Amino acid sequence: MQEPVAADPNAVPPPSRTRNPAANPRRMRRIIAEDPEWSLAIVPQLTELCIQHIINNFESNPILNSLLPDHQRKVLDKVSTSLPLTVTANLISDEGYWKRCCIARWAVCDVSRYGNSWKRMFFERHLENILKFYIPDTTNPNQVLDVIPLCKEYVKKLDIDQFLPPVKIDQKKEDEEASDTESDSGMDEPSMDHFDMSMLTPALCHLEELHLSYGVKDCGMNFEWNLFEFTYRDCCSLANAVKKCPTLKVFKLSRSKVDDEKSRVLIHELLDHPSLTELNLSHNLIADRGARAVGKLINHSKIVTLNLCDNRIRAQGAQAIAHALSKNSILTSLNLRLNCIEDEGGQAICHALLTNETLTNLHLGGNELSEPTATLFSQVLAQNTALTHINLSCNHIGLVRNLFSYKGDGHIALV
């Protein structure tokens, strides 16, 4: 039997069938990093490190305008939206940054209502929020005064639907402990005046629209009538504020219990206003004396749209407005819905429309009008060619609808 040949120690081993070790993943050495962000990438460029440093220290050292456009874009995309407005207001004009600020602060952001400007939207809503929650004698006035220089170039419209009254701490307890002699001493009631708008509007050099409502929203079980009080001092300060705002075009003061006396104070300051074209005093308490003041305003202003819906104007007030309307050549829209001018006031307006050639939109719904006014309106429609929209709904016109033979391109509502 042949004995096995001993292996030659100097012999070269045959080549492995798998020449590429990487083909077998089990034989590859792997590095499992404990840091999930660890990678084999090279060290960040110095430019990126500098940009990140600028972002981290933007509040204390805001560097932006001296950067290249690409570097500015990287900074604006990552800089915090919670930076103080004293840093960002007049430095950053990029709409992308202000869009991030708006989205971070409010759930609903309709930029189309703000001229498609995110920066304008931010500053208008920011100022509105401050004013809505301003408490007289409690909130520091500097909270408003300090923000005015930052936002005055961007605010064109303010819509403030609530004004908080002063808060008297433990007033109820003090009243209970007051003695009878103290109660008979004629002590003045606590002031219920709201924020003084004359501190604000003169500084807003581009303000064009001002919508106000003096009241408290969501008061719940804490409801009191004095929460909805528009005081005489409020009226005087507001009248002064509007007078000092020459750029104002639209003024709306609704649901604020504006009566004859307060409306006359306001209108006195609105006479010959250089730019006011739309006035809305709807849902107030204006009666005939206030309506006479409105009649004077119609021919001493540039007002094109007038809304006196839901007030207490009766026949005499309507006659005063009609007299002004017969001499006016500017007003194009008049809303007297939900008053009580009755046939006497309605006929006066009809006679005015026989000579007026500019009014195109008239709303007299809910004014206790009946057949005599409707009959006269049929004559107006046959002669007046300017009117395009007339609303006589919610009246007592009855069966005289066949009197209307209007053949124009406008719209008549007789519901």
Side-chain angles (χ1 to χ4, degrees), residues 284-321:
N284 283 300
L285 306 176
I286 300 173
D288 291 340
R289 291 182 65 244
R292 286 196 291 270
V294 171
K296 182 178 180 180
L297 177 65
I298 290 176
N299 288 323
H300 289 82
S301 67
K302 299 179 180 180
I303 292 180
V304 175
T305 302
L306 177 62
N307 189 342
L308 296 174
C309 165
D310 190 19
N311 278 281
R312 298 180 176 180
I313 300 173
R314 303 186 70 86
Q316 292 183 357
Q319 289 172 346
I321 294 175

Side-chain angles (χ1 to χ4, degrees), residues 208-211 242 248-253 270 273 275-282 297 301-307 330-333 335:
E208 296 181 355
E209 295 189 36
L210 184 61
H211 300 184
V242 175
L248 191 65
K249 296 180 180 179
V250 179
F251 178 48
K252 177 181 179 180
L253 179 62
L270 291 176
H273 192 280
S275 58
L276 188 67
T277 59
E278 181 175 342
L279 177 63
N280 188 331
L281 296 176
S282 59
L297 177 65
S301 67
K302 299 179 180 180
I303 292 180
V304 175
T305 302
L306 177 62
N307 189 342
I330 299 177
L331 192 70
T332 61
S333 178
N335 188 340

Side-chain angles (χ1 to χ4, degrees), residues 40-147:
L40 292 173
I42 60 176
V43 176
Q45 295 181 358
L46 182 59
T47 303
E48 298 297 329
L49 294 175
C50 292
I51 290 175
Q52 189 60 45
H53 179 79
I54 292 173
I55 294 172
N56 295 337
N57 298 275
F58 199 85
E59 180 176 351
S60 59
N61 187 21
I63 300 175
L64 185 64
N65 293 332
S66 59
L67 301 177
L68 296 174
D70 292 343
H71 299 163
Q72 288 185 16
R73 181 76 271 151
K74 292 181 179 180
V75 171
L76 293 172
D77 287 343
K78 295 183 179 180
V79 72
S80 174
T81 57
S82 60
L83 291 172
L85 291 179
T86 53
V87 176
T88 61
N90 297 318
L91 177 63
I92 300 179
S93 58
D94 178 69
E95 284 290 291
Y97 172 79
W98 294 109
K99 179 179 180 179
R100 291 199 295 120
C101 292
C102 291
I103 294 176
R105 187 167 178 181
W106 299 290
V108 179
C109 298
D110 185 3
V111 71
S112 63
R113 299 177 56 189
Y114 301 87
N116 293 316
S117 172
W118 290 97
K119 188 170 186 178
R120 175 188 163 188
M121 174 182 176
F122 179 87
F123 280 102
E124 287 185 2
R125 296 184 69 171
H126 176 69
L127 184 57
E128 288 170 0
N129 286 343
I130 293 177
L131 296 175
K132 288 178 184 179
F133 298 101
Y134 180 92
I135 303 176
D137 303 328
T138 301
T139 305
N140 188 349
N142 290 332
Q143 187 174 346
V144 179
L145 298 178
D146 290 345
V147 78

Side-chain angles (χ1 to χ4, degrees), residues 154-388:
Y154 317 108
V155 174
K156 294 185 178 181
K157 175 183 176 181
L158 286 177
D159 188 351
I160 308 169
D161 55 6
Q162 82 164 8
F163 282 91
L164 298 180
V167 175
K168 300 299 182 181
I169 301 176
D170 295 333
Q171 183 68 33
K172 183 177 180 180
K173 183 177 180 180
E174 292 178 2
D175 292 343
E176 292 176 353
E177 295 178 354
S179 62
D180 293 337
T181 56
E182 290 176 345
S183 62
D184 296 336
S185 62
M187 296 176 61
D188 294 335
E189 296 183 358
S191 172
M192 295 301 293
D193 300 329
H194 301 83
F195 175 78
D196 185 358
M197 290 296 294
S198 62
M199 298 168 54
L200 176 66
T201 56
L204 300 178
C205 52
H206 300 294
L207 184 65
E208 296 181 355
E209 295 189 36
L210 184 61
H211 300 184
L212 306 177
S213 180
Y214 283 77
V216 179
K217 299 178 66 177
D218 303 323
C219 57
M221 297 300 293
N222 296 319
F223 171 83
E224 295 180 7
W225 280 115
N226 59 8
L227 297 178
F228 301 85
E229 191 69 27
F230 179 57
T231 67
Y232 184 78
R233 186 176 298 178
D234 289 334
C235 181
C236 293
S237 64
L238 180 58
N240 189 31
V242 175
K243 181 180 180 180
K244 293 181 178 179
C245 186
T247 59
L248 191 65
K249 296 180 180 179
V250 179
F251 178 48
K252 177 181 179 180
L253 179 62
S254 63
R255 297 178 176 86
S256 299
K257 293 187 176 181
V258 180
D259 55 18
D260 281 346
E261 183 180 8
K262 297 184 181 71
S263 64
R264 292 173 69 87
V265 171
L266 285 169
I267 290 172
H268 180 268
E269 301 299 337
L270 291 176
L271 294 173
D272 300 314
H273 192 280
S275 58
L276 188 67
T277 59
E278 181 175 342
L279 177 63
N280 188 331
L281 296 176
S282 59
H283 308 291
N284 283 300
L285 306 176
I286 300 173
D288 291 340
R289 291 182 65 244
R292 286 196 291 270
V294 171
K296 182 178 180 180
L297 177 65
I298 290 176
N299 288 323
H300 289 82
S301 67
K302 299 179 180 180
I303 292 180
V304 175
T305 302
L306 177 62
N307 189 342
L308 296 174
C309 165
D310 190 19
N311 278 281
R312 298 180 176 180
I313 300 173
R314 303 186 70 86
Q316 292 183 357
Q319 289 172 346
I321 294 175
H323 178 72
L325 197 62
S326 64
K327 301 179 179 180
N328 183 267
S329 59
I330 299 177
L331 192 70
T332 61
S333 178
L334 176 62
N335 188 340
L336 292 175
R337 180 174 66 94
L338 295 178
N339 283 278
C340 191
I341 66 174
E342 299 181 316
D343 285 326
E344 187 177 355
Q347 292 178 17
I349 291 178
C350 288
H351 286 296
L353 293 177
L354 292 174
T355 57
N356 182 279
E357 298 179 353
T358 58
L359 194 71
T360 60
N361 194 326
L362 177 64
H363 199 322
L364 294 178
N367 271 283
E368 301 294 328
L369 303 178
S370 61
E371 287 83 354
T373 302
T375 303
L376 192 54
F377 251 112
S378 65
Q379 301 176 17
V380 171
L381 296 177
Q383 180 175 336
N384 189 304
T385 59
L387 283 170
T388 58

